[in-house]
């Protein structure tokens, strides 16, 4: 019987490598996955460039973005983006926050991203969030739970939110759907920018968006694209090693063992080491 937890951890690292290889993530940005067996937890790598993240770098956090077990790892300061979206959206199982240059001109200008080709339909209606509106001058990072909650409100029932003068956050019902949506949102933004340079942009109609998104988000499409991106990661020599896959089982086994002994979440949280704020 497949080990759902080990599979989820391995797939999280693969998704991270794909998004780095596809130039969505660079030194910054992060991807997380909700715990497949406990919806009140999620996994995210420790503070490091996403392309370098290994399964052994993954930490398990509560939805308040506190470590479930004490850790010496430095964590991403913007982890609250993930925790607050998981809290607000039980249907979301994977989240990516990034600063891809393909979408930044839209986050800077406030120009709407619209689906300009069929695969762009999967991004849904792209929302905007301006941290300045509610929080005034900040260091531009989403570090406070209330800032993450505000971003989650701006996302609402949608899947993509542009963060003014900062980047974007994307949600998915699975890591594969998230990867599909994130890559094709960037492709759509790039194509829209090019089309705008040519003149008038003709977007998909609402009916086309609905029909196309439903078709493209079925597993035959998302799995086909996933396999293609995995091949690109393999060609780039970035695929997590087989030993790392074994590591997933070890990490999962360790998590399970600790789960068995674990005190209730509340006291676990009390004992947990406060995460260090860094992105
Ligand atoms: Zn950021």
């Amino acid at each position: 019987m497949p080990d759902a937890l080990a599979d989820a951890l391995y797939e999280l690292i693969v998704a991270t490598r794909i998004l780095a290889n596809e130039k969505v993530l660079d030194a910054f940005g992060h991807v997380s996955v909700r715990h497949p067996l406990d919806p009140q937890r999620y996994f995210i790598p420790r503070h490091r460039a996403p392309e370098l993240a290994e399964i052994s770098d993954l930490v398990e956090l509560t939805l308040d973005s506190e470590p479930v077990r004490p850790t010496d790892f430095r964590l991403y300061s913007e982890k609250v983006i993930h925790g607050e979206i998981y809290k607000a959206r039980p249907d979301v199982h994977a989240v990516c926050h990034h600063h891809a240059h393909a979408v930044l001109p839209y986050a800077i200008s406030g120009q709407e991203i619209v689906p300009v080709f069929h695969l762009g339909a999967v991004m849904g209606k792209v929302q905007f969030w301006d941290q300045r509106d509610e929080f005034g001058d900040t260091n531009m990072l989403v570090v406070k739970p209330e800032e993450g909650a505000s971003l989650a409100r701006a996302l609402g029932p949608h899947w993509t939110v542009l963060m003014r003068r900062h980047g974007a956050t994307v949600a998915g019902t699975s890591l594969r759907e998230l990867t599909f949506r994130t890559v094709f949102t960037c492709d759509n933004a790039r194509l829209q920018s090019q089309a705008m340079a040519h003149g008038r942009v003709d977007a998909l109609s609402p009916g086309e968006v609905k029909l196309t998104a439903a078709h493209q988000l079925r597993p035959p499409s998302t799995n086909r694209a996933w396999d293609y991106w995995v091949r690109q990661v393999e060609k780039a020599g970035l695929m997590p090693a087989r030993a790392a896959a074994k590591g997933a089982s070890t990490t999962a086994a360790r998590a399970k063992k600790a789960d068995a002994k674990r005190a209730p979440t509340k006291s676990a949280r009390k004992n947990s080491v406060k995460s260090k704020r860094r992105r």
Side-chain angles (χ1 to χ4, degrees), residues 28-30 78 81 97-99 140-142 163 166-168 279:
F28 300 103
H30 17 85
E78 292 196 299
I81 290 174
H97 168 60
H98 68 80
H99 314 135
M140 305 288 292
L141 300 179
V142 183
M163 302 150 75
H166 178 164
R279 73 195 300 240

